[in-house]
Every structure is written in C-alpha cells, then in structure tokens.
C-alpha cells in the first residue's frame, strides 16, 4: 500500500474499523476551522486539520482535504495525511 495506508494501519485502522476512521475524519471537518483553501475552475479545496483518536489509543493530528464542486455545494473527501 501507499505511505498513507501504512501510516493509518500502524495506528490500528484496517478493514474491520474503516467506519471509525471515516467518522473521525468527518468530525475533523465538522469541528475545526478551515486552514487553507485553493480555488479551481470547478470548485474549491478546503484544508482542515484536527486530532483523532486511534485504535492504538494514540491521539494524532491529521490534515484532511475536502473538495466542494461549485454547482453542487456538497463536500467530497479527497485525502488525509499526518501533519
């Protein structure tokens, strides 16, 4: 897998608890301020940092990136990686 997949697996995330990771990443977007934006022809990327708890009981700070299409207005998850 990629470096990001290896990072999240080291923290205890795997196929059996994907929903937990998904909920944690969504919580970052809901409860933290936007750190940066980048506009494109079809929408905007939003960068949001936040801390999540992991299955290995560590707290880690993650950068998440979300994309909002100009016409739809619904955010889509793009990526997440350690700060």
């Amino acid at each position: 897998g990629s470096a990001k997949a290896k990072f999240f697996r080291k923290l205890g995330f795997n196929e059996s608890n994907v929903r937990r990771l998904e909920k944690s990443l969504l919580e970052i977007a809901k409860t933290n301020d936007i750190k940066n934006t980048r506009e494109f022809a079809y929408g905007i990327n939003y960068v949001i940092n936040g801390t999540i708890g992991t299955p290995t009981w560590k707290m880690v700070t993650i950068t998440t990136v979300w994309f909002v299409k100009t016409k739809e207005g619904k955010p889509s998850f793009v990526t997440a990686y350690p700060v």
Side-chain angles (χ1 to χ4, degrees):
S2 72
K4 286 181 241 178
K6 289 178 184 177
F7 169 77
F8 284 108
R9 284 189 181 279
K10 269 187 169 179
L11 296 173
F13 291 106
N14 57 44
E15 291 80 1
S16 69
N17 57 19
V18 168
R19 186 77 177 131
R20 179 176 176 179
L21 177 58
E22 181 180 284
K23 285 181 180 182
S24 296
L25 296 174
L26 284 169
E27 192 64 23
I28 287 174
K30 291 177 184 178
T31 61
N32 293 277
D33 293 330
I34 295 168
K35 179 182 175 194
N36 196 4
T37 61
R38 185 170 175 202
E39 292 190 39
F40 296 91
Y42 301 104
I44 302 172
N45 274 1
Y46 294 93
V47 178
I48 306 170
N49 291 348
T51 302
I52 63 171
T54 69
T56 60
W57 303 100
K58 291 182 182 180
M59 297 297 289
V60 294
T61 303
I62 303 293
T63 295
T64 61
V65 180
W66 303 83
F67 181 73
V68 177
K69 289 183 181 178
T70 306
K71 292 184 180 181
E72 292 180 19
K74 290 183 178 182
S76 299
F77 176 74
V78 177
T79 191
Y81 50 89
V83 171

Coordinates of all heavy atoms in Angstrom, one line a residue:
G1 N 0.8 -1.2 0.0 CA 0.0 0.0 0.0 C 0.9 1.3 0.0 O 2.1 1.2 0.1
S2 N 0.2 2.3 -0.1 CA 0.9 3.6 -0.1 C 1.3 4.0 1.3 O 1.0 3.4 2.3 CB -0.1 4.7 -0.7 OG -1.1 5.0 0.3
A3 N 2.1 5.1 1.3 CA 2.6 5.5 2.6 C 1.5 5.9 3.6 O 1.5 5.7 4.8 CB 3.5 6.7 2.4
K4 N 0.4 6.5 3.0 CA -0.7 6.9 3.9 C -1.4 5.7 4.4 O -1.8 5.6 5.6 CB -1.7 7.8 3.1 CG -1.3 9.1 2.8 CD -2.3 9.9 2.1 CE -1.7 10.4 0.8 NZ -2.6 11.1 -0.1
A5 N -1.6 4.7 3.6 CA -2.3 3.4 4.1 C -1.4 2.8 5.2 O -2.0 2.4 6.2 CB -2.4 2.5 2.9
K6 N -0.1 2.8 5.0 CA 0.8 2.2 6.0 C 0.7 3.0 7.3 O 0.7 2.5 8.4 CB 2.2 2.2 5.5 CG 2.4 1.1 4.4 CD 3.8 1.1 3.9 CE 4.0 0.2 2.8 NZ 5.3 0.2 2.2
F7 N 0.6 4.3 7.2 CA 0.5 5.2 8.3 C -0.8 4.9 9.1 O -0.7 4.7 10.4 CB 0.5 6.7 7.9 CG 0.1 7.6 9.0 CD1 1.0 8.0 10.0 CD2 -1.2 8.2 9.0 CE1 0.7 8.9 11.0 CE2 -1.5 9.1 10.1 CZ -0.6 9.4 11.0
F8 N -1.9 4.8 8.5 CA -3.2 4.5 9.2 C -3.2 3.1 9.7 O -3.7 2.9 10.8 CB -4.3 4.8 8.3 CG -4.6 6.3 8.1 CD1 -4.3 7.0 6.9 CD2 -5.1 7.0 9.2 CE1 -4.5 8.3 6.8 CE2 -5.3 8.4 9.1 CZ -5.0 9.1 7.9
R9 N -2.6 2.2 9.0 CA -2.6 0.8 9.5 C -1.7 0.7 10.8 O -2.1 0.0 11.7 CB -2.0 -0.2 8.5 CG -3.0 -0.5 7.4 CD -2.6 -1.6 6.5 NE -3.5 -1.9 5.5 CZ -4.6 -2.6 5.6 NH1 -4.9 -3.2 6.8 NH2 -5.4 -2.9 4.6
K10 N -0.6 1.5 10.9 CA 0.2 1.5 12.1 C -0.6 2.0 13.3 O -0.3 1.6 14.4 CB 1.5 2.4 11.9 CG 2.7 1.7 11.3 CD 3.8 2.7 11.4 CE 5.1 2.0 11.1 NZ 6.3 2.9 11.1
L11 N -1.5 2.8 13.0 CA -2.4 3.4 14.1 C -3.5 2.5 14.5 O -4.3 2.8 15.3 CB -2.9 4.8 13.7 CG -1.8 5.8 13.4 CD1 -2.5 7.1 12.9 CD2 -1.1 6.2 14.7
G12 N -3.6 1.3 13.8 CA -4.6 0.4 14.1 C -5.9 0.4 13.2 O -6.8 -0.4 13.5
F13 N -5.9 1.2 12.2 CA -7.0 1.2 11.3 C -6.8 0.2 10.3 O -5.7 0.0 9.7 CB -7.2 2.6 10.6 CG -7.6 3.7 11.6 CD1 -6.7 4.7 12.0 CD2 -8.9 3.8 12.1 CE1 -7.1 5.7 12.9 CE2 -9.3 4.8 12.9 CZ -8.4 5.7 13.3
N14 N -7.9 -0.6 10.0 CA -7.9 -1.6 9.0 C -9.3 -1.8 8.4 O -10.2 -1.1 8.7 CB -7.3 -2.9 9.5 CG -8.0 -3.4 10.7 OD1 -9.3 -3.4 10.8 ND2 -7.3 -3.8 11.8
E15 N -9.5 -2.9 7.7 CA -10.8 -3.2 7.0 C -11.9 -3.4 8.1 O -13.1 -3.1 7.8 CB -10.7 -4.4 6.1 CG -9.8 -4.2 4.9 CD -8.3 -4.3 5.1 OE1 -7.9 -4.5 6.3 OE2 -7.6 -4.1 4.2
S16 N -11.6 -3.8 9.3 CA -12.6 -4.1 10.2 C -13.1 -2.8 11.0 O -14.1 -2.8 11.6 CB -12.1 -5.1 11.3 OG -11.1 -4.4 12.1
N17 N -12.4 -1.7 10.8 CA -12.8 -0.5 11.5 C -12.8 0.8 10.6 O -12.5 1.9 11.1 CB -12.0 -0.3 12.8 CG -10.5 -0.2 12.6 OD1 -10.1 0.0 11.5 ND2 -9.8 -0.4 13.6
V18 N -13.0 0.6 9.3 CA -13.0 1.7 8.4 C -14.0 2.7 8.8 O -13.7 3.9 8.7 CB -13.3 1.2 6.9 CG1 -13.5 2.3 6.0 CG2 -12.1 0.4 6.4
R19 N -15.1 2.3 9.3 CA -16.2 3.3 9.6 C -15.7 4.2 10.7 O -16.1 5.4 10.8 CB -17.5 2.5 10.1 CG -18.6 3.4 10.3 CD -19.3 3.8 9.0 NE -20.4 4.6 9.4 CZ -20.7 5.8 8.9 NH1 -19.9 6.3 8.0 NH2 -21.8 6.5 9.2
R20 N -14.9 3.7 11.7 CA -14.4 4.5 12.7 C -13.5 5.6 12.2 O -13.6 6.8 12.6 CB -13.6 3.7 13.7 CG -13.0 4.5 14.9 CD -12.3 3.6 15.9 NE -11.7 4.4 16.9 CZ -11.0 3.9 17.9 NH1 -10.9 2.6 18.1 NH2 -10.4 4.7 18.8
L21 N -12.6 5.3 11.2 CA -11.8 6.3 10.6 C -12.6 7.3 9.8 O -12.4 8.5 9.9 CB -10.8 5.6 9.7 CG -9.8 6.5 8.9 CD1 -9.0 7.4 9.8 CD2 -8.9 5.7 7.9
E22 N -13.6 6.8 9.1 CA -14.5 7.7 8.3 C -15.1 8.7 9.3 O -15.2 9.9 9.0 CB -15.5 6.9 7.6 CG -16.5 7.7 6.8 CD -17.5 6.8 6.1 OE1 -17.1 6.1 5.1 OE2 -18.6 6.8 6.6
K23 N -15.7 8.2 10.4 CA -16.4 9.1 11.3 C -15.4 10.1 11.9 O -15.7 11.3 12.1 CB -17.0 8.3 12.5 CG -18.3 7.6 12.0 CD -18.9 6.9 13.2 CE -20.1 6.2 12.8 NZ -20.7 5.5 14.0
S24 N -14.2 9.7 12.2 CA -13.1 10.6 12.8 C -12.8 11.7 11.8 O -12.6 12.9 12.2 CB -11.9 9.8 13.2 OG -12.2 8.9 14.2
L25 N -12.6 11.3 10.5 CA -12.3 12.3 9.5 C -13.4 13.3 9.3 O -13.2 14.5 9.1 CB -11.9 11.6 8.2 CG -10.6 10.8 8.3 CD1 -10.5 10.0 7.0 CD2 -9.4 11.6 8.6
L26 N -14.6 12.8 9.3 CA -15.8 13.7 9.2 C -15.9 14.7 10.4 O -16.2 15.9 10.2 CB -17.1 12.9 9.1 CG -17.4 12.3 7.7 CD1 -18.5 11.3 7.8 CD2 -17.6 13.3 6.7
E27 N -15.6 14.2 11.5 CA -15.6 15.0 12.7 C -14.6 16.2 12.6 O -14.9 17.3 13.1 CB -15.3 14.2 14.0 CG -15.6 14.9 15.3 CD -17.1 15.2 15.4 OE1 -18.0 14.6 14.8 OE2 -17.4 16.2 16.2
I28 N -13.4 15.9 12.1 CA -12.5 17.0 11.8 C -13.1 18.1 11.0 O -13.0 19.3 11.3 CB -11.2 16.4 11.1 CG1 -10.4 15.6 12.1 CG2 -10.3 17.6 10.6 CD1 -9.2 14.9 11.5
A29 N -13.8 17.7 9.9 CA -14.4 18.7 9.0 C -15.5 19.5 9.7 O -15.6 20.7 9.5 CB -14.9 18.0 7.8
K30 N -16.2 18.8 10.6 CA -17.3 19.5 11.3 C -16.9 20.4 12.4 O -17.7 21.3 12.7 CB -18.3 18.4 11.8 CG -19.0 17.6 10.7 CD -19.9 16.6 11.4 CE -20.6 15.7 10.3 NZ -21.4 14.7 11.0
T31 N -15.8 20.1 13.1 CA -15.5 20.8 14.3 C -14.2 21.7 14.3 O -13.9 22.3 15.3 CB -15.4 19.8 15.5 OG1 -14.3 18.9 15.2 CG2 -16.6 19.0 15.7
N32 N -13.6 21.8 13.2 CA -12.3 22.5 13.1 C -12.4 23.6 12.0 O -13.2 23.5 11.1 CB -11.1 21.6 12.8 CG -10.9 20.7 14.0 OD1 -10.2 21.1 14.9 ND2 -11.4 19.5 13.9
D33 N -11.6 24.6 12.2 CA -11.6 25.7 11.2 C -10.8 25.4 10.0 O -9.9 24.5 10.0 CB -10.9 27.0 11.9 CG -11.7 27.5 13.0 OD1 -13.0 27.4 13.0 OD2 -11.1 28.1 13.9
I34 N -11.2 26.0 8.9 CA -10.5 25.8 7.6 C -9.1 26.4 7.7 O -9.0 27.6 8.1 CB -11.3 26.4 6.5 CG1 -12.6 25.6 6.3 CG2 -10.5 26.4 5.2 CD1 -13.6 26.3 5.4
K35 N -8.1 25.7 7.4 CA -6.7 26.2 7.5 C -6.3 26.9 6.2 O -5.6 27.9 6.2 CB -5.8 25.0 7.7 CG -4.3 25.5 7.8 CD -3.4 24.3 8.0 CE -2.0 24.7 8.0 NZ -1.1 23.6 7.9
N36 N -6.8 26.4 5.0 CA -6.4 26.9 3.7 C -7.4 26.5 2.7 O -8.2 25.5 2.8 CB -5.0 26.3 3.4 CG -4.4 27.0 2.2 OD1 -4.8 28.0 1.8 ND2 -3.2 26.5 1.8
T37 N -7.5 27.3 1.6 CA -8.4 27.0 0.5 C -7.6 27.1 -0.8 O -6.6 27.9 -0.9 CB -9.6 27.9 0.5 OG1 -9.2 29.3 0.3 CG2 -10.5 27.8 1.7
R38 N -8.1 26.4 -1.8 CA -7.5 26.6 -3.1 C -8.6 26.5 -4.2 O -9.3 25.5 -4.2 CB -6.5 25.5 -3.4 CG -5.7 25.6 -4.7 CD -4.6 24.7 -4.7 NE -4.0 24.8 -6.1 CZ -3.2 23.8 -6.6 NH1 -3.0 22.7 -5.9 NH2 -2.7 24.0 -7.8
E39 N -8.8 27.5 -4.9 CA -9.9 27.5 -5.9 C -9.4 26.9 -7.3 O -8.3 27.1 -7.7 CB -10.4 29.0 -6.1 CG -11.0 29.5 -4.9 CD -11.7 30.8 -5.1 OE1 -12.3 31.0 -6.2 OE2 -11.7 31.7 -4.2
F40 N -10.3 26.2 -7.8 CA -10.2 25.6 -9.2 C -11.3 26.0 -10.0 O -12.3 26.6 -9.5 CB -10.1 24.1 -9.1 CG -9.0 23.5 -8.3 CD1 -9.1 23.3 -6.9 CD2 -7.8 23.3 -8.9 CE1 -8.0 22.8 -6.2 CE2 -6.7 22.8 -8.2 CZ -6.8 22.6 -6.8
A41 N -11.3 25.7 -11.3 CA -12.4 26.1 -12.2 C -13.7 25.5 -11.8 O -14.7 26.1 -12.0 CB -12.0 25.6 -13.6
Y42 N -13.7 24.3 -11.2 CA -15.0 23.6 -10.9 C -15.3 23.5 -9.4 O -16.2 22.9 -9.0 CB -14.9 22.2 -11.5 CG -14.8 22.2 -13.0 CD1 -13.6 21.9 -13.6 CD2 -15.8 22.6 -13.8 CE1 -13.4 22.0 -15.0 CE2 -15.7 22.7 -15.2 CZ -14.5 22.3 -15.8 OH -14.3 22.4 -17.1
G43 N -14.5 24.2 -8.6 CA -14.8 24.1 -7.2 C -13.6 24.6 -6.3 O -12.7 25.2 -6.8
I44 N -13.7 24.2 -5.0 CA -12.7 24.7 -4.1 C -12.2 23.5 -3.2 O -13.1 22.7 -2.7 CB -13.3 25.8 -3.1 CG1 -13.8 27.0 -4.0 CG2 -12.3 26.3 -2.1 CD1 -14.5 28.0 -3.2
N45 N -10.9 23.4 -2.9 CA -10.4 22.5 -2.0 C -10.3 23.2 -0.6 O -9.9 24.4 -0.6 CB -9.0 22.1 -2.3 CG -9.0 20.9 -3.3 OD1 -10.0 20.4 -3.6 ND2 -7.8 20.4 -3.6
Y46 N -10.7 22.5 0.4 CA -10.6 23.1 1.8 C -9.6 22.1 2.6 O -9.8 20.9 2.6 CB -11.9 23.1 2.5 CG -12.9 24.1 1.8 CD1 -13.8 23.6 0.8 CD2 -12.9 25.4 2.2 CE1 -14.6 24.5 0.2 CE2 -13.8 26.3 1.7 CZ -14.7 25.9 0.7 OH -15.5 26.7 0.1
V47 N -8.7 22.7 3.3 CA -7.7 22.0 4.1 C -8.1 22.3 5.5 O -8.2 23.4 6.0 CB -6.3 22.5 3.8 CG1 -5.3 21.7 4.7 CG2 -5.9 22.3 2.4
I48 N -8.3 21.2 6.3 CA -8.7 21.3 7.7 C -7.9 20.3 8.5 O -7.8 19.1 8.2 CB -10.2 20.9 7.8 CG1 -11.1 21.8 6.9 CG2 -10.7 21.1 9.3 CD1 -12.5 21.4 6.8
N49 N -7.3 20.8 9.6 CA -6.5 20.0 10.5 C -7.3 19.6 11.7 O -8.2 20.4 12.1 CB -5.2 20.7 10.9 CG -4.2 20.9 9.8 OD1 -4.3 20.3 8.8 ND2 -3.2 21.7 10.1
G50 N -7.1 18.5 12.3 CA -7.7 18.1 13.5 C -7.1 16.9 14.1 O -6.2 16.2 13.5
T51 N -7.5 16.6 15.3 CA -6.9 15.4 16.0 C -7.9 14.3 16.1 O -9.1 14.6 16.4 CB -6.4 15.9 17.4 OG1 -5.5 16.9 17.3 CG2 -5.8 14.7 18.2
I52 N -7.4 13.1 15.9 CA -8.3 11.9 16.1 C -7.7 10.9 17.0 O -6.5 10.8 17.2 CB -8.6 11.2 14.7 CG1 -7.3 10.7 14.1 CG2 -9.3 12.2 13.7 CD1 -7.5 9.8 12.9
G53 N -8.6 10.2 17.7 CA -8.2 9.0 18.5 C -8.1 7.8 17.6 O -8.8 7.7 16.6
T54 N -7.2 6.9 17.9 CA -6.9 5.8 17.1 C -7.2 4.5 17.9 O -7.3 4.5 19.1 CB -5.5 5.8 16.6 OG1 -4.6 5.5 17.7 CG2 -5.1 7.1 15.9
P55 N -7.3 3.4 17.2 CA -7.5 2.1 17.8 C -6.3 1.7 18.7 O -6.5 0.9 19.6 CB -7.6 1.1 16.7 CG -8.2 1.9 15.6 CD -7.5 3.3 15.7
T56 N -5.1 2.3 18.5 CA -4.0 2.0 19.4 C -3.9 3.0 20.5 O -2.9 3.1 21.2 CB -2.7 2.1 18.5 OG1 -2.5 3.4 18.0 CG2 -2.6 1.1 17.5
W57 N -4.9 3.8 20.7 CA -5.1 4.7 21.8 C -4.2 5.9 21.7 O -4.0 6.7 22.7 CB -4.9 4.0 23.2 CG -5.8 2.9 23.4 CD1 -5.6 1.6 23.2 CD2 -7.2 3.0 23.7 NE1 -6.7 0.8 23.4 CE2 -7.7 1.7 23.7 CE3 -8.1 4.1 24.0 CZ2 -9.1 1.4 24.0 CZ3 -9.4 3.8 24.3 CH2 -9.9 2.5 24.3
K58 N -3.6 6.2 20.5 CA -2.9 7.4 20.3 C -3.8 8.5 19.8 O -4.8 8.2 19.1 CB -1.8 7.1 19.3 CG -0.7 6.2 19.7 CD 0.4 6.1 18.7 CE 1.5 5.2 19.1 NZ 2.5 5.0 18.1
M59 N -3.4 9.7 20.1 CA -4.1 10.9 19.5 C -3.1 11.4 18.5 O -2.0 11.6 18.8 CB -4.4 11.9 20.6 CG -5.3 11.5 21.7 SD -7.0 11.1 21.0 CE -7.6 12.7 20.6
V60 N -3.6 11.6 17.2 CA -2.7 12.1 16.2 C -3.4 13.2 15.5 O -4.7 13.3 15.3 CB -2.4 11.0 15.2 CG1 -1.5 9.9 15.8 CG2 -3.6 10.4 14.5
T61 N -2.6 14.2 15.0 CA -3.2 15.3 14.3 C -3.1 15.0 12.8 O -2.0 14.6 12.3 CB -2.4 16.6 14.6 OG1 -2.5 16.8 16.0 CG2 -3.0 17.8 13.9
I62 N -4.2 15.2 12.1 CA -4.3 14.8 10.7 C -4.7 16.1 9.9 O -5.5 16.9 10.3 CB -5.5 13.8 10.5 CG1 -5.2 12.5 11.4 CG2 -5.7 13.4 9.1 CD1 -4.0 11.7 11.0
T63 N -4.2 16.1 8.7 CA -4.6 17.1 7.7 C -5.6 16.4 6.8 O -5.3 15.4 6.3 CB -3.5 17.7 6.9 OG1 -2.6 18.4 7.8 CG2 -4.0 18.6 5.8
T64 N -6.8 17.0 6.6 CA -7.8 16.5 5.7 C -8.0 17.5 4.6 O -7.8 18.7 4.8 CB -9.1 16.2 6.4 OG1 -9.7 17.4 6.9 CG2 -9.0 15.2 7.5
V65 N -8.3 17.0 3.4 CA -8.6 17.9 2.2 C -10.0 17.4 1.7 O -10.2 16.3 1.5 CB -7.5 17.7 1.1 CG1 -7.9 18.6 0.0 CG2 -6.2 18.0 1.7
W66 N -10.8 18.5 1.5 CA -12.2 18.3 1.0 C -12.4 19.1 -0.2 O -11.8 20.2 -0.3 CB -13.2 18.7 2.1 CG -13.0 17.9 3.4 CD1 -12.1 18.2 4.4 CD2 -13.6 16.7 3.8 NE1 -12.1 17.3 5.3 CE2 -13.1 16.3 5.0 CE3 -14.6 15.9 3.2 CZ2 -13.5 15.2 5.7 CZ3 -15.0 14.8 3.9 CH2 -14.4 14.5 5.1
F67 N -13.2 18.6 -1.2 CA -13.4 19.3 -2.4 C -14.9 19.6 -2.5 O -15.8 18.7 -2.3 CB -13.0 18.5 -3.6 CG -13.2 19.3 -4.9 CD1 -12.5 20.3 -5.3 CD2 -14.3 18.9 -5.8 CE1 -12.7 21.0 -6.5 CE2 -14.5 19.5 -7.0 CZ -13.7 20.6 -7.3
V68 N -15.3 20.9 -2.8 CA -16.7 21.2 -3.0 C -16.8 21.7 -4.4 O -16.2 22.7 -4.8 CB -17.1 22.3 -1.9 CG1 -18.6 22.8 -2.2 CG2 -17.0 21.8 -0.5
K69 N -17.7 21.0 -5.2 CA -18.0 21.5 -6.5 C -18.8 22.7 -6.5 O -19.7 22.9 -5.7 CB -18.7 20.4 -7.3 CG -17.9 19.2 -7.6 CD -18.7 18.2 -8.5 CE -17.8 17.0 -8.8 NZ -18.6 16.0 -9.5
T70 N -18.5 23.7 -7.3 CA -19.2 25.0 -7.3 C -20.7 24.8 -7.5 O -21.4 25.5 -6.7 CB -18.6 25.8 -8.5 OG1 -17.2 25.9 -8.3 CG2 -19.2 27.2 -8.4
K71 N -21.1 24.0 -8.3 CA -22.6 23.9 -8.6 C -23.3 23.0 -7.6 O -24.4 23.3 -7.2 CB -22.8 23.3 -10.0 CG -22.4 24.2 -11.1 CD -22.7 23.7 -12.4 CE -22.3 24.7 -13.5 NZ -22.6 24.2 -14.9
E72 N -22.7 22.0 -7.0 CA -23.4 21.1 -6.1 C -23.3 21.6 -4.7 O -24.3 21.4 -4.0 CB -22.8 19.7 -6.2 CG -23.1 19.0 -7.5 CD -22.4 17.6 -7.5 OE1 -22.1 17.0 -6.5 OE2 -22.3 17.1 -8.6
G73 N -22.2 22.1 -4.2 CA -22.1 22.5 -2.9 C -21.9 21.4 -1.8 O -21.8 21.7 -0.7
K74 N -21.8 20.2 -2.2 CA -21.6 19.1 -1.3 C -20.1 18.8 -1.2 O -19.5 18.5 -2.2 CB -22.3 17.8 -1.7 CG -23.8 17.9 -1.6 CD -24.4 16.6 -2.0 CE -25.9 16.6 -1.9 NZ -26.5 15.3 -2.2
P75 N -19.6 18.7 0.0 CA -18.1 18.4 0.2 C -17.9 16.9 -0.1 O -18.7 16.0 0.2 CB -17.8 18.7 1.6 CG -19.1 18.7 2.3 CD -20.2 19.0 1.3
S76 N -16.7 16.6 -0.8 CA -16.3 15.3 -1.0 C -14.9 15.1 -0.4 O -14.0 16.0 -0.6 CB -16.2 15.0 -2.5 OG -17.4 15.1 -3.2
F77 N -14.7 14.0 0.2 CA -13.4 13.7 0.8 C -12.3 13.5 -0.3 O -12.6 12.8 -1.2 CB -13.5 12.5 1.7 CG -12.2 12.1 2.3 CD1 -11.6 12.9 3.4 CD2 -11.5 11.0 1.9 CE1 -10.4 12.5 3.9 CE2 -10.3 10.6 2.4 CZ -9.7 11.4 3.5
V78 N -11.1 14.1 -0.1 CA -10.1 13.9 -1.1 C -9.0 13.1 -0.5 O -8.6 12.1 -1.1 CB -9.5 15.3 -1.6 CG1 -8.3 15.1 -2.5 CG2 -10.6 16.2 -2.2
T79 N -8.4 13.5 0.6 CA -7.3 12.8 1.2 C -7.1 13.2 2.6 O -7.7 14.2 3.1 CB -6.0 13.1 0.4 OG1 -5.0 12.1 0.8 CG2 -5.5 14.5 0.5
A80 N -6.3 12.4 3.3 CA -5.9 12.7 4.7 C -4.4 12.2 4.9 O -4.0 11.2 4.3 CB -6.8 12.0 5.7
Y81 N -3.7 13.0 5.7 CA -2.3 12.6 6.0 C -1.8 13.2 7.3 O -2.5 14.2 7.7 CB -1.4 13.0 4.8 CG -1.5 14.4 4.3 CD1 -0.8 15.4 4.9 CD2 -2.4 14.7 3.3 CE1 -0.9 16.8 4.5 CE2 -2.6 16.1 2.9 CZ -1.8 17.1 3.5 OH -2.0 18.4 3.1
P82 N -0.8 12.7 7.9 CA -0.3 13.3 9.1 C 0.2 14.7 9.0 O 0.8 15.0 7.9 CB 0.8 12.3 9.6 CG 1.2 11.6 8.4 CD 0.1 11.6 7.4
V83 N 0.0 15.5 10.0 CA 0.5 16.9 9.9 C 2.0 16.9 10.1 O 2.6 16.1 10.8 CB -0.1 17.8 11.0 CG1 0.5 19.1 11.2 CG2 -1.6 17.9 10.7

